[in-house]
Amino acid sequence: MATQHSRVNARLLISPAVLLLLGWMLIPLGLTVYFSLLRYNLLMPGMEQWAGLDNYRYFLTDPAFFAALSNTLLLVGGVLVITIVGGVSLALLLDQLFWGRGIVRVLVIAPFFIMPTVSALVWKNMFMNPVSGLFAHAAKGLGLEPFDFLAHAPLFSIVLIVSWQWLPFATLILLTALQSLDSEQLEASEMDGANYRNRFLFIVMPHLSDPDPDDLPAVDLCRDPGDHERRPRHGFDQPDLPDLCPIAPAVRRGRRGGRRSRRDHPGQRRRDLPDADDRQESGRLRGREDQDMARNVTPTRKAVVTIVAWTIGLAIFFPILWTILTSFKTEAEAIASPPSFVLFDWTVENYAIVQERSNYFRHFLNSVIISIGSTALGLVIAIPAAWSMAFVPTKRTKHVLMWMLSTKMLPPVGVLVPIYLIFRDAGLLDTQVGLVIVLTLINLPIIVWMLYTYFREIPVDILEAARMDGATLRSEIVHILAPMAVPGIASTLLLNIILAWNEAFWTLNLTAAKAAPLTAFIAAYSSPEGLFYAKLSAASTLAIAPILIMGWFSQRQLVRGLTFGAVK
């Protein structure tokens, strides 16, 4: 139980995060509103004039404004539909049993580790170019006229590129939520005759919609409302069950399942029931053995799922593979028609030219310092804030969390001018310190939220016992909480390093040369001098290789940390 002393400590620990995010939201937003009322030109400082509402009147009467607004809504809606529908479908597919599931999962999540500048340049030049792009070569091979995607379907092309990059992340989140579903529920429904459609509608979808049973009404957590008082409280051995749809009893009686009524004998429904020692523990990922017990997987079905999963995985990973292969070609072979996939003269000359032209290692070092520095600073600020909200909650805790997340929704382009002017006057333009500050502030809400949701799963009794033994607040966080929260902290650290490494908007607008990271390094290859596919591919491979390799080797830790509380 929280004491007056612990409440004071909680307010002190959460204050840095709240004050920083409050300043990050109010100061740039207030300056943006102020500048919107002026006639202001960055190229002519000191010539400001009061304009009142003239700027708003100009935009509201400009037809291009509503066209841009419509395109933005279509872009956001299209990406959301593709990522949600495709993410659920891919999560369900990757949750099935098939050969090489771990490799396919690595292939599917790989685009999430690719920085936006690389994906934009690769898709624009190497795939959608109407003359020498891969889609143009495929169309010519089929006897069709090449289609200029960016000229005739620019919005669809952008939706495709953005969806390709964010579909893996949606799949990863949904897959971790799906794998946290208790396998005994799936076993019981399958034994009682529920078909795949009903299991998906009445068990899987409610779990994906709200995987945290703490938010459900207590009366809905069991069939008999009076039995709820007799069940162990949350945190003991018996887990709460998520709410089921009202039609679920009909599914269990076999009215819709279609198989229970055709049992040969009453004991048939118990034929695959696992022993108590083999059942899934609360919070543990379902392994291959658990799924074998929960599902009757035939060799034919496993082979079909394997073919489908590998086909989709290779299709999603193919743009990355094609970029890597092209980096080892000469410029003539890179644009040759028909393109060669493996049988070409391999060369590493492009990598040497890229390093000589752009000094790759300097940009790489800047990316390492900026991403690790911003993530470490964010953890230092977020861990105390998450502790205060998880272990000393108030009536306003959830409102504070939602407000923190709302600061992440602030459009960067809307506050670019104030941030640029503040950094110019403070001498932070083109500095590593400036980028560390910005990336810490934009990713701090995600760090706080992930740590908070994980800390909530740690029993408060352990911390109270440490306090009774004389542990100070610092010892409680450093020596008790942090070791217990290693999976959650590690997954938070990995995710935010990826986000900071791939951040393009702020790094391109606030740097020039000295502090330019790899996002600026690859953006330098977008120029009117000509299309050098081999060198562009080499530069893209060098830019994505470090974070791609780290993501592949740490994806198990990332999934484990997200599953143990963070996806809730």
Side-chain angles (χ1 to χ4, degrees):
M1 184 175 180
T3 63
Q4 183 64 27
H5 180 68
S6 62
R7 292 192 187 98
V8 172
N9 287 335
R11 294 192 187 98
L12 293 176
L13 292 178
I14 199 176
S15 296
V18 171
L19 292 176
L20 286 173
L21 290 177
L22 192 64
W24 172 251
M25 181 183 71
L26 293 182
I27 295 176
L29 191 60
L31 289 175
T32 299
V33 174
Y34 171 71
F35 289 138
S36 69
L37 302 175
L38 298 178
R39 186 170 289 107
Y40 188 91
N41 192 331
L42 286 174
L43 299 179
M44 298 188 310
M47 302 291 293
E48 299 86 0
Q49 295 180 356
W50 183 258
L53 299 178
D54 290 345
N55 295 322
Y56 293 95
R57 190 178 299 109
Y58 170 80
F59 276 100
L60 292 176
T61 56
D62 187 358
F65 171 75
F66 292 98
L69 179 62
S70 175
N71 290 333
T72 302
L73 295 176
L74 291 174
L75 172 62
V76 174
V79 172
L80 283 177
V81 170
I82 294 175
T83 52
I84 293 175
V85 176
V88 171
S89 303
L90 283 175
L92 292 172
L93 178 63
L94 295 177
D95 194 47
Q96 303 294 315
L97 283 173
F98 59 88
W99 291 289
R101 184 172 56 176
I103 299 176
V104 173
R105 185 170 66 179
V106 168
L107 297 179
V108 168
I109 67 174
F112 174 62
F113 305 128
I114 307 303
M115 58 184 60
T117 49
V118 171
S119 61
L121 289 176
V122 168
W123 278 94
K124 173 187 174 182
N125 297 318
M126 299 177 58
F127 282 85
M128 296 181 175
N129 189 289
V131 178
S132 52
L134 196 60
F135 291 158
H137 293 316
K140 293 175 184 177
L142 297 174
L144 303 175
E145 185 70 20
F147 182 75
D148 192 344
F149 284 88
L150 294 175
H152 299 104
L155 183 60
F156 170 78
S157 303
I158 297 175
V159 169
L160 178 64
I161 295 172
V162 177
S163 300
W164 175 78
Q165 185 174 9
W166 285 102
L167 177 61
F169 184 66
T171 302
L172 182 63
I173 294 295
L174 292 169
L175 179 61
T176 54
L178 188 63
Q179 290 185 332
S180 66
L181 174 63
D182 190 355
S183 61
E184 292 185 4
Q185 298 179 49
L186 295 177
E187 284 183 53
S189 62
E190 188 171 2
M191 292 174 184
D192 286 349
N195 57 25
Y196 183 83
R197 172 181 173 274
N198 288 321
R199 293 199 303 272
F200 174 75
L201 291 178
F202 303 130
I203 296 180
V204 175
M205 282 304 296
H207 178 76
L208 294 179
S209 301
D210 190 358
D212 189 358
D214 291 341
D215 296 334
L216 297 174
V219 71
D220 292 331
L221 295 179
C222 54
R223 291 185 175 182
D224 180 10
D227 182 56
H228 185 73
E229 298 298 327
R230 300 189 295 271
R231 297 177 57 192
R233 303 300 297 167
H234 181 71
F236 289 82
D237 293 334
Q238 183 178 355
D240 295 336
L241 295 178
D243 190 20
L244 295 178
C245 184
I247 203 172
V251 177
R252 293 185 58 82
R253 289 194 298 269
R255 295 178 181 176
R256 295 179 178 266
R259 286 195 295 173
R260 183 172 180 178
S261 59
R262 298 194 295 269
R263 295 200 307 267
D264 296 331
H265 53 83
Q268 182 177 351
R269 65 189 294 270
R270 299 288 183 180
R271 64 186 183 276
D272 292 328
L273 186 64
D275 296 332
D277 294 338
D278 297 330
R279 294 178 185 175
Q280 178 188 359
E281 299 176 6
S282 178
R284 182 171 62 88
L285 288 177
R286 296 196 309 276
R288 188 178 298 272
E289 296 81 5
D290 299 319
Q291 292 178 322
D292 277 329
M293 289 184 289
R295 307 169 187 173
N296 185 17
V297 182
T298 63
T300 302
R301 176 183 172 181
K302 193 172 183 178
V304 172
V305 174
T306 300
I307 295 173
V308 173
W310 273 92
T311 301
I312 295 176
L314 290 174
I316 293 176
F317 183 73
F318 182 76
I320 302 174
L321 177 63
W322 183 248
T323 302
I324 297 174
L325 291 176
T326 306
S327 68
F328 292 99
K329 297 179 180 180
T330 62
E331 292 295 346
E333 291 173 329
I335 61 174
S337 181
S340 56
F341 288 90
V342 179
L343 301 178
F344 56 86
D345 295 332
W346 292 66
T347 178
V348 295
E349 180 184 5
N350 299 309
Y351 291 93
I353 295 176
V354 167
Q355 167 59 21
E356 180 182 354
R357 169 185 169 181
S358 305
N359 194 357
Y360 165 79
F361 290 105
R362 177 171 59 84
H363 294 85
F364 170 78
L365 183 61
N366 287 335
S367 289
V368 171
I369 294 174
I370 292 167
S371 58
I372 295 180
S374 62
T375 302
L377 181 59
L379 286 174
V380 170
I381 300 171
I383 289 177
W387 175 91
S388 66
M389 288 187 287
F391 299 113
V392 192
T394 66
K395 295 184 297 183
R396 296 181 293 272
T397 294
K398 287 196 173 182
H399 299 292
V400 173
L401 282 169
M402 293 305 300
W403 167 75
M404 286 184 174
L405 282 181
S406 69
T407 63
K408 180 67 177 175
M409 304 174 190
L410 189 68
V413 69
V415 295
L416 174 61
V417 172
I419 294 297
Y420 184 89
L421 294 177
I422 292 173
F423 273 46
R424 183 197 64 184
D425 296 339
L428 294 175
L429 283 179
D430 200 17
T431 63
Q432 296 171 347
V433 174
L435 287 180
V436 166
I437 294 174
V438 169
L439 296 183
T440 298
L441 293 173
I442 64 175
N443 290 328
L444 184 59
I446 297 179
I447 302 176
V448 172
W449 185 270
M450 291 184 66
L451 292 177
Y452 162 75
T453 54
Y454 187 84
F455 286 174
R456 282 201 315 165
E457 302 300 313
I458 297 177
V460 70
D461 297 342
I462 298 177
L463 301 182
E464 291 179 352
R467 294 170 197 161
M468 294 178 64
D469 289 342
T472 62
L473 180 59
R474 177 181 175 277
S475 299
E476 177 183 328
I477 295 177
V478 175
H479 301 297
I480 307 297
L481 180 64
M484 296 179 63
V486 166
I489 294 175
S491 62
T492 304
L493 183 144
L494 293 171
L495 179 61
N496 284 274
I497 285 179
I498 294 170
L499 295 176
W501 186 280
N502 292 337
E503 174 60 39
F505 181 84
W506 291 109
T507 56
L508 291 177
N509 285 284
L510 299 180
T511 62
K514 293 188 297 183
L518 287 174
T519 49
F521 162 81
I522 190 62
Y525 284 82
S526 176
S527 66
E529 298 176 0
L531 295 177
F532 301 100
Y533 287 176
K535 297 179 181 61
L536 173 63
S537 299
S540 301
T541 303
L542 288 173
I544 67 177
I547 203 69
L548 187 63
I549 295 173
M550 188 198 77
W552 277 349
F553 280 102
S554 61
Q555 55 99 10
R556 287 185 178 272
Q557 181 65 41
L558 182 60
V559 170
R560 182 168 178 261
L562 289 173
T563 303
F564 280 78
V567 296
K568 299 179 181 179

